[in-house]
């Protein structure tokens, strides 16, 4: 016993007091950062921005606003498009200038806050299915032009549908913490190490066209993994049957699993016409073509320069030792695919597209490849013409095992390198 009567073994150690103090300070700092209001700087006056309706129309076209805010058979920009996510189902809103059901009462400051900070006029948070994480990088002048353009549209009376979110994601207040983790409101900064053309392409890809919304991987909270920007992502959209299934967005970097074999002309042609010597647009990308076909030739070239000038996604390990049923897949390919895509996978100018180092074939997630095999490529409607033979769906001709074997064979040959596909993966896509 000590003079105070406290056993030495029970005396609080000084280092433990310091540890408790440090943890308390860290917890307080964490709480102060995550719970404090997110500052929103007011934009400069609209009149000082130099925006125009014509510029806004072009930005809205290449930013694909109509695809997300125009329901099939509905009025342009009146909302109602369905988006299925892991957090629930959302419906796009009416962005016509109707004063009761659209954005007709919005001031420029409120519109700017939605684009830049992801907030509604009442201060509540917008769901990031509206890609404000990308739009925040836009210049104030361009946001002003978009505001002027949408104000010039004919108003449409159409009330917005209620979202159907899983608990607890219907509580918009939770998005405060999501923004603390994943949202930055800084505008795009040109890189002095690159050309004006490259920087223009970067601005279009990262901000206006928001390509990373689909082509960048996301974590379980829906945040973009910027360390793997444009390495390929996954999302849910409709297949040809009208049901919602997973799709894989291709790697857009110049790596061996992405656009390594694509020239600048290949990228430009694909964006402007939906076809090139390397690929034909299909699936959800048909909606994107409705946007990219409006690009000026200079802007399409800028996007190509940017995509060819970014860092390539790292090469993968060789998965060949882990694959099985490759021989069975080769038989399926020879019987059903080889005539158009040729035995060597090089394809033909008027038959099948090349399969050699094909970004869709060797995407980390095989969903898009499986969807194409099961449902066909789901091309844009007429007057679009692929210039090639039309691929038919094989979902009724081939079993899950056959499709899995075929997909594995494709991902194992022709210079492609991707994991094996299982019958269960095929079954989930049916």
């Amino acid at each position: 016993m000590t003079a105070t009567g406290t056993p030495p073994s029970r005396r609080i150690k000084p280092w433990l007091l310091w540890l408790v103090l440090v943890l308390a300070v860290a917890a307080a700092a964490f709480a102060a950062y995550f719970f404090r209001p997110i500052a929103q700087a007011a934009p400069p006056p609209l009149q000082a921005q130099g925006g125009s309706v014509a510029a806004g129309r072009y930005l809205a076209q290449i930013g694909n606003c109509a695809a997300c805010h125009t329901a099939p058979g509905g009025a342009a920009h009146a909302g109602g498009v369905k988006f299925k996510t892991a957090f629930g189902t959302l419906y796009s809103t009416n962005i016509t200038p109707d004063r009761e059901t659209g954005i007709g009462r919005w001031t420029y400051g409120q519109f700017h806050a939605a684009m830049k900070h992801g907030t509604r006029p009442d201060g509540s948070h917008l769901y990031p299915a509206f890609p404000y994480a990308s739009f925040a990088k836009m210049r104030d002048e361009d946001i002003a032009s978009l505001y002027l353009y949408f104000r010039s549209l004919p108003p449409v009376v159409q009330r917005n549908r209620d979202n159907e979110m899983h608990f607890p994601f219907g509580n918009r207040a939770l998005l405060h913490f999501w923004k603390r983790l994943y949202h930055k409101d800084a505008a795009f900064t040109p890189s002095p190490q690159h050309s004006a053309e490259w920087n223009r392409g970067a601005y279009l890809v990262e901000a206006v066209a928001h390509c990373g919304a689909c082509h960048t991987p996301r974590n379980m909270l829906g945040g973009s993994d910027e360390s793997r920007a444009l390495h390929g992502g996954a999302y849910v959209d409709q297949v040809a049957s009208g049901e919602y299934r997973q799709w894989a967005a291709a790697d857009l970097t110049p790596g061996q699993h992405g656009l390594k074999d694509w020239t600048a002309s290949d990228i430009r042609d694909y964006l402007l016409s939906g076809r090139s010597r390397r690929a034909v647009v299909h699936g959800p990308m048909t909606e994107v073509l409705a946007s990219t076909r409006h690009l000026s030739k200079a802007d399409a070239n800028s996007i190509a320069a940017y995509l060819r000038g970014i860092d390539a996604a790292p090469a993968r390990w060789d998965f060949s030792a882990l694959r099985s049923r490759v021989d069975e897949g080769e038989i399926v390919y020879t019987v059903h695919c080889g005539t158009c895509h040729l035995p060597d996978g090089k394809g033909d100018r008027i038959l099948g597209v090349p399969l050699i180092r094909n970004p869709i074939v060797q995407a980390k997630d095989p969903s898009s490849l499986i969807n194409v095999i099961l449902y066909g490529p789901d091309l844009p409607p007429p007057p679009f013409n692929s210039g090639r033979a039309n691929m038919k769906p094989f979902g009724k001709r081939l079993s899950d095992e056959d499709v899995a074997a075929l997909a594995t064979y494709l991902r194992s040959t022709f210079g492609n390198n991707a994991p094996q596909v299982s019958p269960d993966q095929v079954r989930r896509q049916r």
Side-chain angles (χ1 to χ4, degrees), residues 348-370:
D348 181 83
R349 185 175 57 85
I350 61 173
L351 295 175
V353 298
L355 300 177
I356 294 176
R357 289 181 294 278
N358 186 299
I360 293 296
V361 171
Q362 59 178 336
K364 183 176 291 186
D365 185 316
S367 299
S368 289
L369 173 61
I370 296 172

Side-chain angles (χ1 to χ4, degrees), residues 121-141:
D122 62 2
S124 61
H125 300 287
L126 289 166
Y127 288 103
F130 173 63
Y132 55 80
S134 297
F135 293 154
K137 299 178 182 179
M138 292 179 65
R139 297 188 294 264
D140 285 345
E141 176 186 344

Side-chain angles (χ1 to χ4, degrees), residues 245-270:
R245 296 290 184 268
Q246 182 155 301
W247 289 83
D251 179 350
L252 297 183
T253 75
Q256 59 182 293
H257 311 296
L259 305 183
K260 180 179 181 179
D261 294 341
W262 289 50
T263 65
S265 295
D266 292 333
I267 297 173
R268 183 194 65 220
D269 292 346
Y270 183 81

Side-chain angles (χ1 to χ4, degrees), residues 257 316-328 361-363 404-422:
H257 311 296
R316 303 178 189 142
W317 291 353
D318 185 357
F319 294 99
S320 58
L322 304 177
R323 302 183 187 107
S324 62
R325 299 192 64 198
V326 174
D327 292 342
E328 297 174 43
V361 171
Q362 59 178 336
L406 171 59
T408 298
Y409 170 73
L410 295 175
R411 289 157 68 83
S412 308
T413 54
F414 310 138
N416 298 315
N417 177 30
Q420 178 171 334
V421 177
S422 71

Side-chain angles (χ1 to χ4, degrees), residues 3-33:
T4 61
T6 302
S9 60
R10 295 184 181 179
R11 186 181 300 167
I12 298 177
K13 307 295 184 183
W15 66 265
L16 185 58
L17 290 173
W18 278 107
L19 177 61
V20 171
L21 178 62
V22 168
L23 291 176
V25 171
F30 178 88
Y33 175 76

Side-chain angles (χ1 to χ4, degrees), residues 59 62 116 134-143 146 186-191 196-211 299 302-303 306:
L59 290 165
I62 65 175
K116 195 82 171 175
S134 297
F135 293 154
K137 299 178 182 179
M138 292 179 65
R139 297 188 294 264
D140 285 345
E141 176 186 344
D142 286 344
I143 295 177
L146 280 172
F188 172 80
T189 303
S191 168
E197 181 181 53
W198 186 96
N199 277 296
R200 175 63 176 173
Y203 178 71
L204 294 172
V205 169
E206 296 178 16
V208 181
H210 55 280
C211 303
D299 277 349
S302 293
I303 291 176
Y306 172 67

Side-chain angles (χ1 to χ4, degrees), residues 1 38 79 138 159 211 224 323 367 379 389 396 430:
M1 299 287 288
I38 299 175
M138 292 179 65
R159 298 200 174 276
C211 303
S224 295
R323 302 183 187 107
S367 299
L379 301 175
K396 294 182 178 179
R430 282 197 185 268

